[in-house]
Amino acid sequence: MKTSSNQSKGQRGALLSEINVTPFVDVMLVLLIIFMVTAPMLKQGINISLPQTKKTQGVKIQKDPFILQIKKDQKIYIGDQSVPLENLKEKLSALFEHKTSKSVYLQADRRISYGTVAQVLGEIKSSGISNVSLITIAK
């Protein structure tokens, strides 16, 4: 009789040493699926063949850089949106109206003419943006 009361007492006070990992695995699988779906969307910009230059010290890039791109077909892009040269000044003026840091990074395809880059730089300057940096690839 003593043994049965000791067994029941020991069974009530025993700790469960197994960890249930099923909720953890469920959450990890959901996160994996989310990252697999969103990762291809994180790629920004248009494919541009940048000119090569000798390696220099470079420019410190801001936390949230504003990148303007000119493709080889001379189309101008802000993000993935095409902007005609005629509307570039107005678009940039509106985008930078309330920003304190007026800085643009320009990516121009190496196959476009210098005149096109000069026209775009003129529109950038006339919209009130004071700092323009050209992005190249270092050799």
Side-chain angles (χ1 to χ4, degrees):
M1 187 102 170
K2 251 182 172 178
T3 58
S4 66
S5 73
N6 282 343
Q7 284 179 343
S8 64
K9 206 175 198 184
Q11 287 176 352
R12 278 187 268 152
L15 295 175
L16 182 63
S17 63
E18 296 178 18
I19 297 174
N20 187 4
V21 296
T22 305
F24 177 72
V25 171
D26 290 344
V27 169
M28 296 312 284
L29 287 174
V30 168
L31 287 174
L32 178 66
I33 292 170
I34 289 171
F35 287 130
M36 287 172 57
V37 169
T38 58
M41 294 178 206
L42 294 177
K43 184 179 178 187
Q44 288 184 346
I46 313 298
N47 190 14
I48 293 179
S49 178
L50 295 174
Q52 292 185 351
T53 59
K54 290 185 179 179
K55 191 171 184 174
T56 60
Q57 186 173 349
V59 177
K60 289 186 180 180
I61 296 181
Q62 298 176 356
K63 180 181 175 185
D64 189 21
F66 184 86
I67 300 175
L68 190 110
Q69 299 175 321
I70 309 172
K71 285 183 64 174
K72 68 179 175 181
D73 58 0
Q74 299 186 0
K75 288 189 178 180
I76 303 165
Y77 287 87
I78 297 175
D80 59 351
Q81 181 183 11
S82 177
V83 178
L85 182 63
E86 304 82 40
N87 300 343
L88 185 60
K89 179 182 174 183
E90 292 81 22
K91 182 80 171 175
L92 290 174
S93 296
L95 288 171
F96 282 89
E97 184 176 8
H98 299 292
K99 287 189 176 187
T100 55
S101 173
K102 297 186 185 252
S103 179
V104 170
Y105 296 93
L106 179 61
Q107 285 183 335
D109 194 285
R110 66 180 175 180
R111 295 169 285 211
I112 64 169
S113 69
Y114 176 74
T116 304
V117 175
Q119 286 179 326
V120 171
L121 285 172
E123 292 295 316
I124 292 171
K125 291 288 186 177
S126 67
S127 68
I129 296 170
S130 56
N131 190 7
V132 180
S133 300
L134 298 176
I135 298 176
T136 61
I137 296 176
K139 287 184 184 179

